[in-house]
Amino acid sequence: MQLISLAIRRCICSERLCRLSVLLQRSPASDPPLVRISISDTGLGSCIEEFQNLKCPVEGILAETWNGIVYVRTTNICDKEISCYELNLKENVTTRKPILLPSNIKHGVKFSGTEVCLSVSESVDVLLEEFNCFFQKILVLKVPNIAMEVMADGQDVPGSRNDAVFLEKFSPSSSFAASTLDHLKLGLESYVLRHGSSLACDSCFPNRDNLRSGGGMVCEDKHKTTKLVVEAAVVTSEIPNPTNNCFGAGCSDTKVLCFKDFAPCSISEALLKALTGIDWKRYGLALECAIDQRSHALLKWEHMPLSFHIHIVVHCYDKLVFEAMPLLQKTRFDKKLIRKAVKLALDDFKNKHAGVLLSADTLKVLACSRRNQEQLPKLASIFHLQISKFAPDLAKSIAGLVLYSSDMDFKEECLAILGLQPHQSEGEIVGENIKKKIISAIEVNDRRQQGTREVAPLLFEGRHELQYVDDECDEDGFDPMDL
């Protein structure tokens, strides 16, 4: 799969519309029967050094079915010929030498691209399943300028016509100006809509309205020509009545997808340490444990409602600072950068979506306020508290006190504070204005740095310190289940 990752990077570096194709062709005349795999792209031409550090896989379907031989044909727009090479990736990296094969003349035609071919003794159907799974994950990155396809030569039926088993067309709505982080967020949203498969679940997600997202990116200079980039995206979804086929039905665990250099990768120790090192209480979450599931990390939460789900993706890659060939680098996982990127994504999420992922301190204040306001409905778990769940009821109660007061001076003063005129004293108008002020006050308090003694605003005007909880509340103790 490293060969596909390199093809994607060549397409990205070209900064133009590209095509990436994988073609599987049976060779029944060979003994044993072989399948020829062709990976071609119309991106920048490659240099042979790009393949020098590649290693033959030690596990997976190619580990025992491939002899390590690859044939490379590549050219750049300015080249007059198509260069051809043969490499044995099972040879030692330090002593490996490519064999130069006869080149092909381009006859004045200007184009660029690379084709890499190899042959394996494996079933077409098995290979198709592997490639289809790989490309379904790649869609999370939502690379904007590449149309991707997987073609099979009749699968395991000799003489059958070529069929496209995977086809991802370039979307005209995709923008080259949009950042890779924006595409990562959109890709994760699409992944959630599809429940991680190729089909969307209309019963759970008729559209994106039930999805909320945030993103964060950090980078660090690595070499003179490259920098290490870590991008993270967070998407939350609510499924009140999930179907039995939903991947989140009956489970509130978070699946963390990980990519390295535009390809899915296994979970590293650095990633797990980065995830466990985040202060999740700042976002109203309590992490029980983080588990390495090889293809993804699994975060288990305490008291998370089954209808609420958090989805996270992390992508680490080397970005070229200057124009150069996309050589394969050993991208490392930096736990500090990963942790910072995920935290930036969570902070971005909180800034965009009022009342979601409130800090544990804010929720504690709300819990104590609730004990003095018996008319408030029972709140959700602290890990899924949303102001929109309770603010309308609280606003309605306050609006009732204002509108049905016999003290006209008090009533007029309250309307003035809300910025309303006497003729705007209808219940819905007053309630809506109060709800907005409730959300604003709590959000301002929640965004303050923990440990600061700066006071938060009152609901209407003036100041008071929201972060301090009265002694009675402290003596009772704070139990999240009280909410």
Side-chain angles (χ1 to χ4, degrees):
M1 299 306 175
Q2 285 182 315
L3 296 174
I4 299 178
S5 173
L6 287 174
I8 292 175
R9 297 182 72 179
R10 288 193 293 269
C11 291
I12 293 174
C13 290
S14 72
E15 296 184 344
R16 61 175 183 267
L17 296 181
C18 295
R19 180 174 181 174
L20 193 161
S21 300
V22 177
L23 175 62
L24 309 180
Q25 293 179 303
R26 300 175 75 256
S27 303
S30 59
D31 187 23
L34 297 175
V35 175
R36 181 176 181 272
I37 303 175
S38 168
I39 302 170
S40 60
D41 68 86
T42 59
L44 292 179
S46 63
C47 57
I48 198 62
E49 290 80 10
E50 186 178 351
F51 302 91
Q52 281 295 91
N53 293 326
L54 287 178
K55 295 181 180 179
C56 226
V58 295
E59 58 181 18
I61 61 173
L62 298 183
E64 299 179 358
T65 61
W66 177 34
N67 60 7
I69 302 295
V70 295
Y71 297 93
V72 180
R73 302 171 67 236
T74 184
T75 186
N76 278 301
I77 291 181
C78 57
D79 295 339
K80 297 181 180 180
E81 297 179 331
I82 300 175
S83 301
C84 303
Y85 304 91
E86 177 186 333
L87 294 96
N88 186 348
L89 300 188
K90 284 193 173 181
E91 292 180 347
N92 187 286
V93 173
T94 56
T95 60
R96 180 187 303 162
K97 291 184 178 180
I99 300 174
L100 180 62
L101 303 176
S103 60
N104 304 121
I105 305 299
K106 294 172 66 174
H107 300 290
V109 180
K110 292 186 177 293
F111 64 90
S112 66
T114 302
E115 181 186 29
V116 181
C117 297
L118 59 147
S119 296
V120 299
S121 56
E122 186 56 87
S123 162
V124 173
D125 290 333
V126 172
L127 293 171
L128 278 179
E129 183 178 356
E130 187 79 7
F131 280 113
N132 191 54
C133 180
F134 177 86
F135 276 99
Q136 290 297 343
K137 292 180 179 178
I138 285 291
L139 292 182
V140 176
L141 300 179
K142 212 172 184 63
V143 183
N145 62 322
I146 307 177
M148 296 178 282
E149 64 179 356
V150 177
M151 305 283 289
D153 184 8
Q155 296 171 266
D156 285 330
V157 181
S160 298
R161 64 183 178 84
N162 286 2
D163 290 321
V165 294
F166 177 90
L167 182 62
E168 177 67 12
K169 298 180 180 179
F170 171 76
S171 173
S173 61
S174 298
S175 171
F176 283 96
S179 66
T180 53
L181 179 58
D182 290 332
H183 287 293
L184 185 65
K185 289 187 289 185
L186 289 174
L188 183 57
E189 288 182 3
S190 298
Y191 179 85
V192 173
L193 290 174
R194 300 191 313 268
H195 288 333
S197 64
S198 58
L199 299 176
C201 180
D202 294 334
S203 60
C204 295
F205 300 116
N207 50 55
R208 296 176 182 262
D209 292 344
N210 291 330
L211 303 181
R212 301 180 178 89
S213 64
M217 181 189 73
V218 293
C219 57
E220 180 182 81
D221 291 337
K222 185 177 179 182
H223 301 293
K224 291 183 178 180
T225 59
T226 62
K227 60 174 60 178
L228 177 62
V229 179
V230 181
E231 297 174 340
V234 176
V235 171
T236 65
S237 60
E238 293 183 73
I239 313 177
N241 300 302
T243 64
N244 293 331
N245 296 326
C246 294
F247 75 147
C251 177
S252 59
D253 298 339
T254 291
K255 180 186 290 188
V256 182
L257 303 176
C258 187
F259 292 83
K260 183 170 69 173
D261 293 325
F262 300 91
C265 67
S266 57
I267 301 304
S268 67
E269 183 179 353
L271 177 67
L272 286 179
K273 288 184 177 180
L275 294 172
T276 54
I278 294 174
D279 182 12
W280 293 103
K281 290 184 178 180
R282 182 181 175 188
Y283 310 99
L285 302 166
L287 182 65
E288 182 179 313
C289 62
I291 304 173
D292 180 0
Q293 300 283 69
R294 297 195 66 182
S295 63
H296 62 273
L298 197 67
L299 303 183
K300 289 185 172 292
W301 310 105
E302 297 177 1
H303 312 296
M304 177 76 82
L306 296 179
S307 61
F308 184 71
H309 295 87
I310 302 175
H311 316 267
I312 301 174
V313 60
V314 176
H315 184 201
C316 303
Y317 62 95
D318 286 329
K319 183 176 181 180
L320 295 174
V321 180
F322 306 105
E323 245 182 80
M325 298 303 296
L327 298 178
L328 181 67
Q329 304 285 346
K330 292 185 178 179
T331 301
R332 60 186 173 85
F333 284 106
D334 188 305
K335 67 178 182 180
K336 292 183 179 179
L337 293 182
I338 294 174
R339 182 167 61 241
K340 186 175 181 180
V342 175
K343 288 173 64 178
L344 287 174
L346 291 167
D347 291 337
D348 178 58
F349 182 99
K350 287 184 63 173
N351 290 333
K352 290 180 178 177
H353 307 291
V356 187
L357 301 184
L358 294 177
S359 67
D361 287 343
T362 298
L363 296 172
K364 185 174 181 179
V365 173
L366 293 174
C368 294
S369 300
R370 169 183 160 276
R371 295 175 183 178
N372 297 324
Q373 297 286 341
E374 295 182 358
Q375 71 271 29
L376 291 181
K378 186 176 180 63
L379 302 182
S381 152
I382 62 170
F383 316 115
H384 177 224
L385 182 67
Q386 298 188 48
I387 295 177
S388 58
K389 296 286 185 180
F390 65 85
D393 291 326
L394 178 57
K396 185 177 180 180
S397 299
I398 297 176
L401 294 175
V402 174
L403 295 176
Y404 295 106
S405 173
S406 58
D407 188 336
M408 298 306 295
D409 292 337
F410 167 76
K411 184 175 179 178
E412 290 179 3
E413 184 178 357
C414 289
L415 291 176
I417 291 175
L418 293 170
L420 300 175
Q421 301 297 324
H423 67 275
Q424 296 177 302
S425 59
E426 297 179 5
E428 291 186 4
I429 298 177
V430 176
E432 183 65 23
N433 276 269
I434 294 176
K435 185 184 75 171
K436 291 179 180 178
K437 286 188 174 291
I438 291 174
I439 292 175
S440 176
I442 296 178
E443 279 295 299
V444 169
N445 180 66
D446 190 60
R447 291 194 188 104
R448 288 177 301 139
Q449 294 292 326
Q450 293 186 2
T452 63
R453 303 187 67 85
E454 179 186 351
V455 294
L458 281 166
L459 180 59
F460 294 121
E461 62 179 5
R463 289 180 173 271
H464 69 103
E465 298 189 10
L466 250 180
Q467 71 269 31
Y468 300 116
V469 182
D470 57 39
D471 293 336
E472 180 182 354
C473 225
D474 285 337
E475 290 173 1
D476 291 342
F478 175 59
D479 185 353
M481 298 307 294
D482 286 346
L483 292 175

